[in-house]
Amino acid sequence: MSVINLEGIYTAYEGGEKAVIRDLSLHVDRGEYVVIGGPNSAGKTTLLESINGLIKITHGRATVCGLDVSFQADEVRKRVGYVIQNFYFDPFTPFTVEQVVMMGRYGRLGLMKRPTKDDYHAVKKAIHLVGIEDLARKTIGTCSGGQQQKAMIAHNIAKEPEVMMLDEPFSNLDFSAREYLQGVFKELVRTGVPILMVAHAFDGLPDIPIHLVVMNRGKIAHDLNCTAGEVECIIRKECGALDKC
Ligand SMILES: Nc1ncnc2c1ncn2[C@@H]1O[C@H](COP(=O)(O)OP(=O)(O)OP(=O)(O)O)[C@@H](O)[C@H]1O
Ligand SMILES: [Mg+2]
């Protein structure tokens, strides 16, 4: 069984009359690097929220890591890393980057439990992997946008998820940070963790097989396998064609 199985799902936002995602099926296996592209408002973020149980699935069935998303969303969220598209930290947020990364362990830890040696080790490793040792003691609200994005990536790596979803994680990052982090994600994929990455820019994709999903108007317009070098060309062509639909 695939890690993610979506079978003809429909999802609608609370109070929304129309389904945003319509009759969508998708299967993702261990070790797959999935790039999700498509025009603005196509439903890319909504798709990630559906997988994570953050939005109600009105029809169809979704399972993640063998769990039914409609009935076991809390458990699904413990196993899925999710770097969200837009986040904002108040400048006076009192937590350090290190503490924010430790919060990635809370799903495993449980409430009111003290972090163990393993938790501290996972946090240290994630901070090292993302290369933000110099930020560890800085409060998150005083970090720049790109530094906050790196902290949120480290938070989700420390979680040691079974699936990693990232929604435009590079929007604030410079070229060398993007290239470096793509290497980190490539390594994650090599260990079997599937990655679902929503993106509008495709430079620096790792040189591994890509499972490309192009969305439009709440549906998957294309679901194919390609090389990293082909992604941009296919999306340009498809988005151009879709715009003219
Ligand atoms: N919280 C919400 N409540 C109601 N409708 C929403 C909500 N969030 C998104 N939508 C609607 O769902 C549709 C898909 O939005 P979504 O954010 O998934 O698009 P996207 O493909 O991620 O776009 P972008 O590239 O701009 O991030 C849009 O029409 C949007 O207006
Ligand atoms: Mg989005």
Side-chain angles (χ1 to χ4, degrees), residues 113-165:
K113 299 264 169 56
R114 290 182 72 83
T116 64
K117 235 163 69 184
D118 282 353
D119 297 313
Y120 284 111
H121 178 70
V123 167
K124 203 170 164 196
K125 195 168 140 198
I127 285 176
H128 174 70
L129 260 180
V130 178
I132 51 171
E133 287 98 335
D134 54 328
L135 303 178
R137 310 225 177 266
K138 199 172 157 78
T139 53
I140 189 83
T142 60
C143 288
S144 73
Q147 290 174 332
Q148 290 179 353
Q149 217 156 16
K150 288 179 187 172
M152 293 316 293
I153 291 170
H155 165 105
N156 280 283
I157 288 177
K159 192 172 175 179
E160 296 180 330
E162 289 172 50
V163 174
M164 179 69 102
M165 306 198 299

Side-chain angles (χ1 to χ4, degrees), residues 13 20 38-47 85 167-168 200:
Y13 283 99
V20 173
N40 291 130
S41 86
K44 303 180 296 296
T45 297
T46 309
L47 171 61
Q85 180 174 7
D167 199 346
E168 298 188 39
H200 288 294

Side-chain angles (χ1 to χ4, degrees), residues 42-64:
K44 303 180 296 296
T45 297
T46 309
L47 171 61
L48 298 190
E49 290 178 350
S50 311
I51 291 169
N52 221 6
L54 292 167
I55 172 170
K56 197 173 164 170
I57 295 167
T58 52
H59 295 90
R61 183 156 187 258
T63 64
V64 175

